[in-house]
Amino acid sequence: MTPIMSKSDAADLVVAARVRKGLTWAQIAEELGAPVVWATAALLGQHPMTPEQAGTVCGLLDLDDAVAESLRRQPTRSTDPAVMNDPTIYRFVEALSVYGPALKELIHEEFGDGIMSAINFKVDITRRPDPDGDRVVITFDGKFLDYRW
């Protein structure tokens, strides 16, 4: 019996094949018919894919059934210390450390007692030209879930 490929090993193979094939994440997402941020996160191991999606990606990238099987599995989501050392990811943590309490207060003031869902959730990234250097615009769009007592 062959051991199950880890999601991180599958992600490494996906990244290598994407680079080798000269494809962008956006091109792969378009082939999947999925939003680019979701598709990228799924291919990096953070979401399970349907058998059809996994098959499409593996066909596009010439990857085998072991990768497809891994892409279909549920992830274990955690904060990997190695990932947290990446400067880009650390800046997101830093931004939420600084602005998280203020955003929480503003959500409560505007919506009442509750939270923004990270399950019923959309995320998008765009580039906005600016004379002082292009800007990264990230949109979190989560359903408000009120606390019910």
Side-chain angles (χ1 to χ4, degrees):
M1 178 179 214
T2 10
I4 295 174
M5 179 181 295
S6 73
K7 289 191 82 66
S8 63
D9 287 346
D12 289 344
L13 292 172
V14 167
V15 170
R18 180 190 69 80
V19 170
R20 191 170 42 256
K21 294 259 184 191
L23 294 171
T24 65
W25 292 112
Q27 289 169 318
I28 295 170
E30 187 175 324
E31 285 290 320
L32 288 171
V36 67
V37 177
W38 180 90
T40 305
L43 292 167
L44 294 176
Q46 292 302 308
H47 301 296
M49 300 185 96
T50 66
E52 295 77 20
Q53 290 169 324
T56 297
V57 167
C58 288
L60 182 66
L61 298 177
D62 296 325
L63 296 170
D64 65 24
D65 289 341
V67 175
E69 178 184 27
S70 180
L71 291 173
R72 292 191 311 262
R73 291 181 36 242
Q74 283 291 332
T76 300
R77 296 177 182 102
S78 67
T79 307
D80 179 348
V83 171
M84 295 305 293
N85 288 328
D86 179 88
T88 303
I89 294 170
Y90 179 77
R91 292 299 173 257
F92 285 113
V93 172
E94 180 181 40
L96 286 175
S97 294
V98 172
Y99 292 104
L103 292 169
K104 176 186 182 299
E105 287 295 321
L106 293 167
I107 288 170
H108 289 294
E109 183 175 272
E110 180 70 25
F111 295 91
D113 190 15
I115 61 171
M116 178 183 71
S117 175
I119 295 170
N120 188 337
F121 185 80
K122 296 176 186 172
V123 61
D124 195 24
I125 183 169
T126 56
R127 181 182 197 146
R128 188 183 68 203
D130 186 279
D132 289 332
D134 288 357
R135 309 290 295 186
V136 177
V137 179
I138 297 170
T139 304
F140 286 172
D141 180 350
K143 179 180 179 181
F144 178 73
L145 303 172
D146 60 322
Y147 283 113
R148 297 186 182 167
W149 302 100

